[in-house]
């Protein structure tokens, strides 16, 4: 049976979120910020109930984010129907692939015509207090309101480079999102007068776990050994508030993977992302 989850469903959703904190971080972070009311969250969270127990759920907005038992996705696939506004499917590879394959098999072209399928994205983690084999770069700091304009400009460049299209829309949602990160001390940057030349931010956080996203270094500065010390600083800054700091990277991004390997980050899982 499918249900649209509400705040009253938090007690039965929480065990699913807690079962795999790194895997469910996107959904947990969103719910922590906005709650489960679809009008505030911006989309419904569809739950699958079997024998009275919540066994799976899907954040069903511009981003589809599944959690729980992939064997229970059949009814969700029927509910989702033809793709209309979904921009991505993201999360653990063991969940994303069955959901994507099921949508393609059931609904065909609208789901099959993905712009990019990033099937293997290693998830890595750092724990507060773990030794770092690289000396952190003290130039990295928490961004302030005074940095917002330059930080936003860097974020737009990062997004365009990483995703392949512009983040701008009629609602100015991306600017609002970056402002939220800066206002809440979740944006880290290295600055040169009015320019942000390195950035990363805590894109998701819940409880003791967070996820660094949006890592970007000005292309003119790449190849100079700057990334490792800067990322070491970012890990330490994030770990002051969240004892477990995670991130994920495309398997084909050899340069980034080398940086994370040299920092001693441990692979703890695998994500996948389908982009439309």
């Amino acid at each position: 049976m499918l249900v649209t989850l509400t705040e009253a469903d938090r007690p039965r959703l929480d065990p699913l979120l807690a079962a795999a904190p790194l895997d469910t971080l996107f959904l947990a972070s969103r719910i922590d910020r906005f709650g489960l009311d679809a009008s505030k969250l911006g989309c419904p969270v569809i739950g699958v109930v079997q024998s009275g127990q919540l066994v799976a759920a899907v954040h069903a907005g511009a981003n589809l984010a599944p959690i729980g038992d992939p064997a229970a996705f059949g009814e969700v696939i029927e509910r989702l129907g033809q793709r209309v506004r979904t921009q991505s499917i993201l999360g653990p590879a063991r969940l994303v692939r069955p959901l994507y394959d099921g949508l393609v098999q059931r609904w065909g072209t609208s789901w099959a015509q993905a712009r990019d399928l990033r099937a293997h994205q290693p998830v890595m983690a750092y724990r507060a207090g773990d030794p770092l084999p690289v000396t952190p770069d003290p130039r990295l700091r928490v961004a302030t309101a005074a940095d917002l304009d330059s930080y936003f400009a860097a974020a737009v460049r990062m997004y365009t480079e990483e995703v392949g299209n512009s983040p701008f829309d009629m609602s100015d949602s991306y600017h609002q999102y970056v402002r939220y990160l800066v206002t809440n001390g979740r944006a880290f940057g290295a600055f040169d007068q009015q320019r942000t030349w390195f950035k990363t931010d805590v894109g998701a956080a819940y409880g003791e776990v967070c996820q660094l996203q949006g890592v970007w270094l000005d292309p003119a500065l790449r190849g100079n050994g700057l990334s490792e010390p800067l990322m070491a600083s970012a890990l330490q800054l994030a770990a002051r508030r969240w004892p477990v700091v995670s991130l994920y990277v495309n398997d084909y991004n050899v340069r980034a993977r080398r940086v994370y390997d040299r920092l001693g980050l441990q692979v703890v899982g695998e994500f996948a992302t389908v982009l439309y």
Side-chain angles (χ1 to χ4, degrees):
M1 178 178 72
L2 292 185
V3 295
T4 298
L5 300 181
T6 68
E7 282 298 319
D9 295 300
R10 284 295 293 269
R12 56 178 178 172
L13 177 61
D14 284 344
L16 274 184
L17 297 176
L22 293 180
D23 288 351
T24 62
L25 187 54
F26 172 85
L27 180 57
S29 178
R30 292 268 298 157
I31 294 171
D32 187 51
R33 182 181 175 191
F34 297 108
L36 268 171
D37 186 330
S39 65
K40 296 179 180 178
L41 185 62
C43 68
V45 176
I46 302 171
V48 184
V49 177
Q50 296 178 350
S51 301
Q53 182 178 1
L54 185 69
V55 297
V58 176
H59 175 279
N63 300 301
L64 293 187
I67 67 170
D69 182 2
F73 290 162
E75 291 181 87
V76 176
I77 289 167
E78 288 294 323
R79 167 74 68 85
L80 291 173
Q82 297 280 346
R83 187 181 76 85
V84 178
R85 68 186 188 96
T86 300
Q87 298 175 4
S88 71
I89 307 174
L90 53 87
R94 62 182 179 82
L95 303 182
V96 168
R97 194 69 206 215
L99 181 59
Y100 170 69
D101 289 344
L103 287 165
V104 170
Q105 183 177 0
R106 176 65 180 89
W107 299 107
T109 302
S110 67
W111 290 101
Q113 293 183 335
R115 182 164 53 86
D116 194 4
L117 174 56
R118 300 176 180 181
H120 302 288
Q121 298 174 309
V123 180
M124 302 178 178
Y126 168 79
R127 294 184 179 276
D130 284 353
L132 288 166
V134 176
T135 301
D137 189 330
R139 291 177 294 180
L140 191 78
R141 60 173 174 81
V142 178
T144 68
D147 304 311
L148 178 59
D149 288 347
S150 73
Y151 194 89
F152 177 66
V156 169
R157 294 182 66 184
M158 176 281 303
Y159 186 101
T160 305
E161 181 179 331
E162 173 66 18
V163 179
N165 55 32
S166 170
F168 292 110
D169 59 28
M170 295 295 292
S171 66
D172 198 32
S173 61
Y174 192 64
H175 190 270
Q176 294 176 33
Y177 171 67
V178 174
R179 180 186 295 275
Y180 164 80
L181 295 174
V182 171
T183 301
N184 287 275
R186 291 169 53 162
F188 310 137
F191 306 92
D192 178 9
Q193 295 180 351
Q194 300 302 312
R195 180 176 69 112
T196 301
W197 53 269
F198 175 86
K199 68 162 291 292
T200 185
D201 39 65
V202 177
Y206 181 71
E208 295 190 342
V209 180
C210 77
Q211 185 180 91
L212 287 177
Q213 300 175 357
V215 179
W216 180 84
L217 175 66
D218 189 319
L221 299 175
R222 294 174 189 173
N224 294 309
L226 295 170
S227 295
E228 291 164 29
L230 288 162
M231 282 304 300
S233 289
L235 293 169
Q236 289 189 336
L237 284 173
R240 292 176 183 174
R241 291 175 61 181
W242 300 278
V244 179
V245 184
S246 67
L247 55 82
Y248 64 98
V249 60
N250 294 315
D251 63 336
Y252 54 78
N253 191 341
V254 176
R255 177 177 291 178
R257 293 194 65 180
R258 286 175 179 164
V259 168
Y260 302 144
D261 287 342
R262 289 168 184 158
L263 288 169
L265 299 186
Q266 300 298 308
V267 176
V268 295
E270 182 177 71
F271 278 6
T273 304
V274 183
L275 295 173
Y276 290 97

